[in-house]
């Protein structure tokens, strides 16, 4: 992310005027200056040794609290673009999810609309120095089994399931993949109790096993 471009976006969003509304005698660009200060460059200190100052034109120091904040500010226009394309969406960090419902009889036109929308999104991201990763893009069609014959399209590459913030959704919403994943994870951790089982009575062993199962169900 180029700093000059990022600061320009901040000005366009009106961040230079937020501080001025509270203290009208201050320069309207003071908030931009505060944001820009840690972006100018950095040096590294190890024990009592300090490296020379290095000027950088992009990025933020590793672990900086500004990283997530500036990224969200930078990608905020993407939400406006998606909404203008008549698509519902969720943005979570660098993960973008699009939601689109349609009647099975309108399958072809709806998929065409979705493909055109993805093209607009990809072009916008490229123009803003963001990357649209097609290799990690999945299309999940959620429908009843009896609707499958009506919208079957052999040229369309769809996924049978997709992960959404740790939860696995499948195309028929029967959640079999999610149940299987939870079962495998639970059994794996319960089997690890064998290492300490000789040192435990039955009661604490059952308590630990129950806690493991409950913790997996709550995640």
């Amino acid at each position: 992310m180029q700093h000059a471009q990022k600061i320009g976006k901040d000005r366009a969003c009106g961040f230079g005027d937020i501080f001025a509304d509270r203290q009208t005698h201050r320069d309207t660009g003071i908030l931009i200056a505060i944001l820009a200060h840690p972006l100018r460059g950095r040096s590294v200190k190890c024990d009592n040794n300090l490296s020379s100052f290095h000027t950088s034109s992009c990025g933020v120091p590793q672990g900086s609290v500004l990283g997530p904040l500036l990224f969200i500010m930078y990608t905020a226009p993407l939400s406006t673009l998606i909404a203008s394309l008549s698509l519902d969406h969720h943005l979570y960090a660098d993960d973008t999810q699009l939601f689109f419902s349609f009647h099975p009889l309108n399958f072809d036109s709806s998929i065409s609309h979705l493909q055109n929308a993805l093209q607009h999104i990809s072009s916008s991201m490229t123009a803003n120095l963001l990357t649209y990763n097609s290799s990690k893009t999945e299309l999940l069609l959620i429908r009843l089994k009896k609707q499958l014959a009506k919208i079957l399209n052999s040229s369309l590459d769809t996924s049978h399931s997709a992960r959404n913030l740790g939860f696995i959704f499948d195309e028929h919403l029967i959640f079999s993949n999610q149940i299987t994943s939870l079962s495998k994870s639970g059994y794996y951790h319960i089997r690890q109790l064998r290492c300490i089982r000789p040192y435990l009575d039955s009661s604490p062993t059952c308590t630990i096993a129950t806690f493991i199962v409950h913790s997996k169900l709550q995640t």
Side-chain angles (χ1 to χ4, degrees):
M1 182 190 303
Q2 296 293 324
H3 292 162
Q5 186 176 8
K6 176 68 192 76
I7 294 174
K9 283 181 174 290
D10 294 340
R11 291 186 185 276
C13 292
F15 281 94
D17 299 326
I18 295 176
F19 200 87
D21 292 339
R22 298 178 179 177
Q23 298 184 13
T24 56
H25 299 292
R26 296 293 187 92
D27 181 9
T28 57
I30 191 170
L31 186 57
I32 298 298
I34 293 174
L35 287 175
H37 178 71
L39 304 180
R40 293 171 182 166
R42 66 207 67 168
S43 59
V44 178
K45 184 177 182 181
C46 181
D47 295 330
N48 294 324
N49 301 314
L50 183 65
S51 69
S52 58
F53 187 82
H54 175 73
T55 302
S56 59
S57 61
C58 60
V60 296
Q62 185 176 6
S64 170
V65 295
L66 284 178
L69 174 63
L70 294 178
F71 181 81
I72 292 174
M73 292 166 55
Y74 191 80
T75 58
L78 183 62
S79 178
T80 303
L81 171 63
I82 296 174
S84 69
L85 297 172
S86 302
L87 296 174
D88 295 323
H89 63 284
H90 286 160
L91 299 180
Y92 184 80
D94 60 346
D95 183 35
T96 303
Q97 300 176 0
L98 307 180
F99 303 91
F100 186 51
S101 61
F102 55 88
H103 193 278
L105 296 178
N106 300 327
F107 175 77
D108 291 334
S109 60
S110 298
I111 293 300
S112 177
H113 171 71
L114 183 59
Q115 291 174 334
N116 291 334
L118 289 176
Q119 184 61 45
H120 279 88
I121 294 171
S122 177
S123 300
S124 176
M125 294 179 70
T126 301
N128 287 277
L129 304 180
L130 296 171
T131 301
Y132 168 70
N133 194 339
S134 58
S135 64
K136 293 186 177 180
T137 301
E138 296 178 290
L139 174 61
L140 177 64
L141 289 175
I142 298 177
R143 70 279 191 186
L144 298 176
K145 291 184 178 181
K146 64 181 181 180
Q147 294 176 326
L148 182 61
K150 298 180 181 179
I151 62 175
L152 186 61
N153 189 332
S154 58
S155 63
L156 195 62
D157 186 15
T158 62
S159 300
H160 296 293
S161 63
R163 188 177 294 273
N164 181 14
L165 299 181
F167 196 95
I168 304 176
F169 287 82
D170 59 85
E171 56 189 349
H172 301 307
L173 292 182
I174 58 178
F175 305 116
S176 58
N177 292 340
Q178 175 67 13
I179 295 172
T180 300
S181 176
L182 286 176
S183 299
K184 287 182 178 180
S185 179
Y187 278 123
Y188 170 79
H189 288 89
I190 290 176
R191 284 195 297 269
Q192 301 309 305
L193 286 175
R194 292 179 300 179
C195 299
I196 60 174
R197 180 64 182 88
Y199 310 101
L200 297 175
D201 294 332
S202 297
S203 179
T205 303
C206 292
T207 301
I208 295 175
T210 302
F211 173 78
I212 291 174
V213 174
H214 285 177
S215 66
K216 295 301 177 182
L217 294 177
Q218 294 172 0
T219 54

